[in-house]
C-alpha cells in the first residue's frame, strides 16, 4: 500500500447562514496531506481562544465522498459530518451531554487536486439538518498547497 505524506498550507473559509445571521470563519494553518491507497487525508488544527486548538481531519474517498471530523478537547465537542454530492448523509455531534444526530444535505461539492506541484481545492455547499429541520446553510472552501 502506497503512503505519501507532505507538509501543506491550508486556507479554509466557512460561510454560515443561521437564523438569518451570516458569519465567516477563516482558518490559515500548516497541515499534512497524506495519501493512503486511493483515499486522501488532510490534517490541520484550528486555533481557538486561550491558546486551545481543534484538530480537523478531511478525508476524500476514492468515490469522491468527503468526511470532515473536528475534535476540540477543551470544549468537549467532536463532530463527524459526511458529504456526498446532492445526497443526504447522517453525521453527529458529540457533546459532554451525549451524541446529537446531525444530517447534511450536500447541495454541491467539488474536489480538485493537482499533483505537481501539490495543491488542491475542496468546495462544499451544504445544509445542516437536525430533527428534519435545516438549522444552517454552509459554504466550505478549503485550498491547500505544498
Amino acid at each position: 500500500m502506497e503512503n505519501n505524506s507532505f507538509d501543506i498550507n491550508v486556507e479554509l473559509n466557512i460561510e454560515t447562514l443561521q437564523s438569518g445571521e451570516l458569519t465567516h470563519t477563516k482558518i490559515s494553518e500548516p497541515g499534512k496531506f497524506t495519501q493512503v491507497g486511493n483515499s486522501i487525508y488532510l490534517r490541520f488544527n484550528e486555533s481557538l481562544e486561550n491558546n486551545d486548538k481543534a484538530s480537523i481531519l478531511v478525508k476524500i474517498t476514492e468515490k469522491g465522498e468527503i468526511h470532515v471530523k473536528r475534535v476540540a478537547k477543551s470544549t468537549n465537542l467532536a463532530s463527524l459530518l459526511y458529504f456526498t454530492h446532492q445526497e443526504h448523509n447522517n453525521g453527529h455531534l458529540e457533546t459532554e451531554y451525549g451524541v446529537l444526530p446531525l444530517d447534511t444535505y450536500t447541495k454541491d461539492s467539488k474536489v480538485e487536486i493537482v499533483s505537481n506541484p501539490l495543491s488542491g481545492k475542496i468546495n462544499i455547499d451544504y445544509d445542516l439538518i437536525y430533527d428534519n429541520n435545516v438549522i444552517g446553510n454552509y459554504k466550505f472552501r478549503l485550498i491547500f498547497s505544498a
Side-chain angles (χ1 to χ4, degrees):
M1 180 174 355
E2 198 176 337
N3 184 346
N4 296 310
S5 196
F6 302 95
D7 291 328
I8 57 171
N9 290 311
V10 176
E11 294 277 336
L12 174 59
N13 290 293
I14 301 172
E15 185 178 288
T16 306
L17 180 61
Q18 276 184 302
S19 305
E21 188 177 324
L22 187 63
T23 57
H24 296 272
T25 304
K26 185 174 176 124
I27 300 168
S28 184
E29 298 281 347
K32 270 277 189 242
F33 171 101
T34 306
Q35 182 165 359
V36 180
N38 292 323
S39 293
I40 291 168
Y41 300 85
L42 303 173
R43 286 182 169 77
F44 57 97
N45 290 323
E46 173 187 357
S47 295
L48 303 173
E49 294 175 5
N50 303 325
N51 289 329
D52 285 330
K53 64 183 195 282
S55 61
I56 299 175
L57 172 66
V58 178
K59 176 183 178 183
I60 304 157
T61 69
E62 62 184 289
K63 294 179 182 174
E65 294 172 350
I66 304 163
H67 307 172
V68 178
K69 182 177 185 175
R70 181 181 182 275
V71 178
K73 288 191 170 93
S74 63
T75 57
N76 294 319
L77 290 175
S79 60
L80 182 56
L81 300 176
Y82 300 94
F83 305 98
T84 309
H85 187 71
Q86 295 188 333
E87 287 188 23
H88 285 270
N89 284 291
N90 301 88
H92 64 270
L93 174 68
E94 295 173 33
T95 72
E96 57 191 298
Y97 305 107
V99 177
L100 193 68
L102 288 176
D103 298 330
T104 57
Y105 174 69
T106 309
K107 296 185 259 190
D108 194 23
S109 64
K110 189 174 191 177
V111 175
E112 296 175 13
I113 296 176
V114 178
S115 56
N116 198 5
L118 178 62
S119 63
K121 286 193 265 190
I122 301 168
N123 292 345
I124 311 169
D125 294 349
Y126 68 97
D127 291 335
L128 192 61
I129 302 162
Y130 174 69
D131 198 25
N132 292 320
N133 294 303
V134 174
I135 57 172
N137 311 106
Y138 293 78
K139 291 184 186 301
F140 177 100
R141 302 289 183 263
L142 187 147
I143 298 171
F144 71 90
S145 59

